[in-house]
Amino acid sequence: MKFSENWLRSFVNPPYSSAELAHVLTMAGIEIESIVPVAAVFNSVVVAEVVSVEKHPTADRLKVCRVKTGKSDKDFLQIVCGAPNVAVGVKVPCALEGANLPGFTIKQTKLRGIESFGMLCSAKELGISEAAEGLLLLPEDAPVGVDFRNYYGLDDNVFELKLTPNRADCLGIAGVAREVAAITNSELNSNALEQCHTPAEIEDTLKVHVVAADACPLYCGRIMRGINPDVSTPMWMAQRLERSGIRLINAIVDITNYVLLETGQPMHAFDLAKVSDAIQVRYAHSHEKIQLLNSNQIDLTPEMLLIADAHKPLALAGIMGGMDSGVTQGTVDLFLESAFFSPGVISGKSFVLGFSSDSAYRFERGVDFSATRNALERATYLIQSICGGKAGPITEVKHQLPQRTAVNVRIDRIKKVLGIELSKHQVADFFGRLGLKFSEKDNVFVVIPPSYRFDLSIEEDFIEELARIYGYDRIPSFSPHANMVMLPASEKKLPVLEMKRLLTARDYHEVINYAFVDESWERELVNNSDPIELMNPIASQMSVMRSTLIGGLISNLQFNLNRKQTRVRLFEVGCCFGRTEDNHYCQLEKFAGLSYGDVVAEQWGIPEKSVDFYDVKADVEILFKGRNVHFSKFSHPALHPGKTAQITIDGQSVGWLGELHPHWQKKYGLQKNAVLFEIDLDSLLQRTIPTVTEVSKFPPVRRDVAVLVDNDINVQTLLDGMYAEKSEIVTDISLFDIYRGKDMGDTKKSLAFRVLLQDTEKTLTDAEADSAVTQLIEILKNKFGATLRN
């Protein structure tokens, strides 16, 4: 909302500069977003009258003017002017010799041989507007010779408010003035907003039927006849409207806009000749249409509130009038409307319609229903003062208005919330300055919210008002004092941050995705035919809750590939959602990752190699920090059937690891293999407390064992079998080679194990080492049918 500072100071004029006034308002929660002067700085410009105009002897577009610049007969100047609208008798601003205008200084000069002793000015040349087609023409009663800057009120600023939605009471200049008076403890000028009562001079009335009483609890209207449609809007009103960003239309419309800006009460005027029988306030019928004043043709729906007559809609209630019933230059009789519409009925309509209006902006936040009739009286007074005419009696239809419930505000509660002690006298003073009705008994104030403050309903609201008037900057800040102790942190639990650091150190980047995903991801990637649907999704491709993180990671991969990234390593920690066996909703935190492209960034010292299953398996094993993790063959709808493993710990499945299925790889446009993993976060955060073991002083012995086994026997089974029955001196068994060849046939494979042996008491002999290795070979032969490879 924009408004003129001079207009505000006509209501209340505290002893503050413009900047100081803006600061105190902002500190009280009424933010001033900007302060802009209404005109550039200039001097020596007076109101002048053009007495005569003659054609320039040598220039077709120039005219030689004789201009009166003062009351004396000697105050005449010869000025050469090229403006198309210069004429005898017009009054215009005139820059005298030596005047400093924006960007240049006026000097005596010759134009095509004719001397000129000043300049007749346009609004652009004075810095009042950005464009002008000719001279700035002034009213006929403008006093010649007076300083133009003072006459036109240019020592003024435009304040722009950035109001929060709850402060609808400040959407009128009177409301802002009321706020300034309360904050600065200044006196309001009671004459600034005349409380008018216009007696009826004619008996004409228009019946009003409020069918939708819940949507329109109060409706006031009156007929006015004999309006002069040709009168111009007074300069003082036009200036205030223009400085508030309102375009001038005609005197009647300008007056209703002026009252809206002045009081915050939206109004509307109908051409009485275009209204039939009676006014109806009702909801729209199906298939009704209306063309609004902004030329939009609206197909009305039953939840839209209308002002109508017996035959047609006249206006979209609380939003905008209709084109067919609007006031035009030929209007002589009108019906003037002022109403209170329930905020819930207007709220959201601007979004549906695709445009907003000053009226809708105010009604959806709540206007002062106690001032509805006064605003009608004020508009009537201004119309009669400017346009003439006679007014009929006011027709008022009233139903159940919003109730203002008294609220108890306790002195003890004020101290507890604000941290400062306010006396009863201070509280009473602040409430009085805010215009609140109250009574006090036993340190409890019973306060009734005023009709213009829809944001005051609970005790804390009134305490906040006290803080605003007291001054937020005056409330001291204290550091909290508390007996704080370190919470116990179990060594068996790892922080999530440590998991993230481990993967970050291995070139992964963290991503964060929405938990709302495309339903096709759930169906295709995890075969989830019944995902949890959202009742009100923010987008069609975000209609269900995710049960896996991999859909988001694949989308992130595509995003990066589209931007020419060839090596992508991503991870995400987030919640996934599903149903329990008894059909209740549940969520589980998961840790997922994706790797794509080369194992390491391109460099001369390492040959190119695309990431594979085993590279990512090493990353996963790092996350588990040496815990006994098992990988076994697994099937997953999104993963390659021969390159997928289930991750288990202590016999319990905690996740999976695998390469993306070629089908999905092709569908998502991936040129290389993508390897993914997903693990239950809780399983990662568990840690086995390390135990102290003696470090042997004696060297280890290494033996290599190569055996032939059936293809269907997996390595982990062999390792588990050997570990279960190995000798105590065997400290480690690991696979270091797998071989398949024609000499073995299609049913066999060769596995080579590295066996480390060590004793903490002595150096092992060859016999002891050979005995332990022989024991392992016997286990492989007897349990798994293995044979030694020659």
Side-chain angles (χ1 to χ4, degrees):
M1 173 183 167
K2 296 180 179 179
F3 59 86
S4 158
E5 180 185 356
N6 287 348
W7 190 8
L8 174 64
R9 289 187 182 274
S10 70
F11 282 84
V12 58
N13 191 14
Y16 296 105
S17 67
S18 301
E20 290 170 340
L21 180 58
H23 176 73
V24 297
L25 277 170
T26 300
M27 292 305 296
I30 310 298
E31 183 180 352
I32 303 296
E33 190 168 23
S34 64
I35 306 175
V36 180
V38 299
V41 177
F42 61 83
N43 59 18
S44 299
V45 179
V46 299
V47 176
E49 181 180 1
V50 179
V51 177
S52 66
V53 177
E54 297 179 1
K55 185 178 178 300
H56 194 287
T58 61
D60 292 339
R61 295 186 178 181
L62 297 180
K63 297 173 183 176
V64 181
C65 305
R66 182 174 170 80
V67 179
K68 183 178 181 181
T69 60
K71 297 180 180 179
S72 172
D73 293 339
K74 298 180 181 180
D75 295 330
F76 287 89
L77 296 176
Q78 177 176 284
I79 298 177
V80 178
C81 178
N85 60 341
V86 65
V88 175
V90 298
K91 292 182 178 179
V92 295
C94 176
L96 305 177
E97 187 178 343
N100 293 307
L101 299 188
F104 59 97
T105 301
I106 302 300
K107 299 178 181 178
Q108 179 183 343
T109 186
K110 282 187 178 183
L111 295 174
R112 303 290 291 271
I114 302 295
E115 286 189 317
S116 182
F117 299 91
M119 186 178 76
L120 304 183
C121 303
S122 67
K124 181 180 180 181
E125 290 161 338
L126 296 174
I128 297 174
S129 69
E130 295 181 357
E133 296 180 355
L135 300 178
L136 176 59
L137 301 181
L138 304 178
E140 295 179 359
D141 60 353
V144 175
V146 302
D147 183 271
F148 173 75
R149 193 172 188 89
N150 293 334
Y151 169 74
Y152 217 65
L154 296 181
D155 293 322
D156 190 11
N157 296 301
V158 173
F159 280 28
E160 184 170 4
L161 291 184
K162 187 179 181 181
L163 288 173
T164 51
N166 63 315
R167 292 310 305 270
D169 60 299
C170 290
L171 288 173
I173 195 74
V176 178
R178 184 171 53 224
E179 190 74 11
V180 171
I183 295 167
T184 63
N185 199 17
S186 302
E187 185 177 353
L188 270 172
N189 179 9
S190 58
N191 296 323
L193 182 59
E194 300 176 38
Q195 299 298 322
C196 312
H197 173 67
T198 305
E201 300 175 84
I202 57 175
E203 296 181 356
D204 297 4
T205 60
L206 195 62
K207 291 183 179 180
V208 175
H209 302 293
V210 179
V211 180
D214 58 330
C216 180
L218 179 60
Y219 189 95
C220 300
R222 76 184 331 162
I223 289 175
M224 296 190 71
R225 294 190 182 276
I227 304 299
N228 181 1
D230 299 322
V231 69
S232 299
T233 303
M235 187 180 72
W236 61 269
M237 181 180 289
Q239 287 179 344
R240 290 178 174 180
L241 288 172
E242 288 172 342
R243 292 172 190 179
S244 299
I246 302 296
R247 179 173 59 90
L248 301 181
I249 299 176
N250 59 54
I252 300 299
V253 176
D254 293 345
I255 288 169
T256 58
N257 285 335
Y258 181 83
V259 173
L260 175 142
L261 292 174
E262 187 177 59
T263 65
Q265 170 67 53
M267 302 191 66
H268 190 65
F270 299 97
D271 188 330
L272 188 61
K274 302 173 183 177
V275 179
S276 301
D277 297 334
I279 290 289
Q280 297 180 12
V281 184
R282 60 171 175 82
Y283 286 103
H285 302 314
S286 298
H287 310 302
E288 280 189 303
K289 296 183 178 182
I290 185 172
Q291 186 176 17
L292 301 178
L293 290 173
N294 61 1
S295 299
N296 284 12
Q297 183 80 23
I298 303 299
D299 294 324
L300 298 171
T301 55
E303 67 274 7
M304 293 182 177
L305 189 67
L306 293 181
I307 309 298
D309 62 15
H311 305 292
K312 62 185 180 300
L314 302 176
L316 203 54
I319 298 175
M320 188 174 289
M323 182 74 76
D324 295 338
S325 62
V327 172
T328 61
Q329 201 61 41
T331 299
V332 292
D333 300 327
L334 58 86
F335 180 75
L336 195 60
E337 165 196 278
S338 179
F340 172 76
F341 300 109
S342 299
V345 176
I346 309 300
S347 181
K349 297 299 186 296
S350 296
F351 179 80
V352 173
L353 294 170
F355 66 88
S356 186
S357 67
D358 290 332
S359 295
Y361 189 80
R362 286 161 172 80
F363 276 125
E364 66 186 2
R365 286 161 173 78
V367 301
D368 182 5
F369 51 83
S370 70
T372 301
R373 187 181 181 112
N374 292 337
L376 181 61
E377 295 277 19
R378 174 66 169 160
T380 304
Y381 167 78
L382 291 172
I383 291 173
Q384 286 188 327
S385 301
I386 297 168
C387 305
K390 296 181 179 180
I394 293 178
T395 300
E396 181 179 271
V397 179
K398 183 185 292 188
H399 294 92
Q400 184 64 43
L401 290 167
Q403 298 299 307
R404 312 307 288 153
T405 306
V407 177
N408 292 338
V409 181
R410 297 161 290 173
I411 292 289
D412 292 343
R413 182 63 177 167
I414 294 171
K415 181 179 179 180
K416 184 175 182 179
V417 172
L418 299 183
I420 58 174
E421 190 164 347
L422 296 179
S423 67
K424 287 191 292 185
H425 174 75
Q426 286 178 297
V427 173
D429 177 50
F430 292 165
F431 282 158
R433 284 158 59 176
L434 287 163
L436 306 178
K437 296 180 180 179
F438 64 90
S439 61
E440 185 272 329
K441 184 179 180 181
D442 298 332
N443 291 329
V444 176
F445 284 82
V446 181
V447 192
I448 300 176
S451 56
Y452 51 82
R453 292 297 298 272
F454 283 79
D455 58 320
L456 303 181
S457 59
I458 60 175
E459 185 177 21
E460 282 70 20
D461 293 335
F462 291 93
I463 294 175
E464 183 182 5
E465 291 298 293
L466 295 173
R468 289 194 317 108
I469 303 304
Y470 180 79
Y472 291 127
D473 51 345
R474 293 178 57 196
I475 299 177
S477 59
F478 298 103
S479 299
H481 296 278
N483 294 324
M484 303 181 70
V485 295
M486 293 291 291
L487 295 175
S490 173
E491 291 186 66
K492 293 184 177 181
K493 190 84 169 177
L494 289 170
V496 178
L497 185 59
E498 187 167 339
M499 297 293 105
K500 294 181 178 182
R501 285 172 175 166
L502 286 172
L503 277 194
T504 302
R506 297 178 74 84
D507 276 357
Y508 282 78
H509 293 83
E510 184 178 9
V511 296
I512 300 175
N513 292 305
Y514 280 110
F516 318 134
V517 298
D518 194 325
E519 185 178 358
S520 64
W521 291 1
E522 288 292 306
R523 189 170 55 252
E524 296 171 353
L525 298 177
V526 289
N527 199 23
N528 184 3
S529 60
D530 186 25
I532 299 173
E533 295 184 356
L534 295 169
M535 294 182 63
N536 186 25
I538 60 177
S540 60
Q541 72 274 17
M542 304 172 77
S543 59
V544 300
M545 302 296 290
R546 66 187 179 189
S547 64
T548 178
L549 302 178
I550 61 173
L553 291 174
I554 293 174
S555 177
N556 299 144
L557 172 61
Q558 290 178 301
F559 182 90
N560 280 273
L561 294 178
N562 291 338
R563 284 150 184 82
K564 307 303 180 184
Q565 299 298 312
T566 58
R567 182 173 180 268
V568 181
R569 296 164 80 86
L570 306 171
F571 76 90
E572 181 177 9
V573 181
C575 287
C576 295
F577 304 85
R579 292 184 176 91
T580 60
E581 293 182 357
D582 52 358
N583 207 32
H584 288 106
Y585 297 123
C586 64
Q587 68 178 39
L588 179 67
E589 280 194 286
K590 294 188 178 182
F591 194 111
L594 177 148
S595 189
Y596 178 92
D598 292 342
V599 177
V600 295
E602 184 179 6
Q603 58 169 293
W604 64 269
I606 300 177
E608 291 185 7
K609 175 183 175 297
S610 294
V611 69
D612 61 19
F613 175 92
Y614 295 102
D615 296 314
V616 180
K617 178 174 177 286
D619 296 333
V620 171
E621 289 175 331
I622 287 291
L623 290 175
F624 283 102
K625 288 201 164 188
R627 293 169 65 190
N628 192 16
V629 185
H630 288 181
F631 297 87
S632 56
K633 189 175 180 180
F634 186 60
S635 176
H636 190 284
L639 304 180
H640 193 294
K643 299 179 181 180
T644 303
Q646 183 181 45
I647 305 170
T648 59
I649 295 180
D650 298 330
Q652 183 178 357
S653 174
V654 296
W656 50 259
L657 160 69
E659 194 175 286
L660 189 64
H661 196 289
H663 173 76
W664 304 123
Q665 180 181 320
K666 181 178 179 181
K667 176 175 180 178
Y668 293 120
L670 306 180
Q671 301 299 318
K672 297 182 180 181
N673 298 329
V675 184
L676 304 102
F677 68 86
E678 186 172 77
I679 306 168
D680 294 343
L681 183 62
D682 280 346
S683 66
L684 281 178
L685 303 184
Q686 305 303 318
R687 174 167 62 177
T688 303
I689 305 261
T691 56
V692 177
T693 57
E694 184 180 356
V695 179
S696 177
K697 296 180 291 184
F698 304 98
V701 175
R702 171 173 172 164
R703 293 284 191 272
D704 293 342
V705 177
V707 295
L708 294 175
V709 295
D710 293 337
N711 273 329
D712 58 353
I713 299 177
N714 62 57
V715 174
Q716 190 63 52
T717 303
L718 298 177
L719 290 172
D720 290 343
M722 288 188 286
Y723 267 107
E725 300 182 28
K726 70 179 181 63
S727 170
E728 290 184 0
I729 62 174
V730 176
T731 58
D732 184 57
I733 308 171
S734 59
L735 178 75
F736 69 87
D737 183 58
I738 299 178
Y739 174 74
R740 293 182 177 89
K742 293 182 179 180
D743 54 330
M744 298 181 191
D746 296 333
T747 61
K748 297 289 184 179
K749 61 184 175 182
S750 171
L751 303 177
F753 294 95
R754 181 193 67 182
V755 181
L756 292 181
L757 307 97
Q758 192 174 33
D759 196 322
T760 59
E761 301 293 334
K762 62 180 179 177
T763 299
L764 293 175
T765 64
D766 287 341
E768 291 172 327
D770 291 342
S771 175
V773 171
T774 301
Q775 181 182 355
L776 295 178
I777 294 172
E778 290 300 320
I779 294 171
L780 294 175
K781 286 181 178 179
N782 297 333
K783 288 194 172 184
F784 306 107
T787 58
L788 278 176
R789 183 183 174 193
N790 297 327

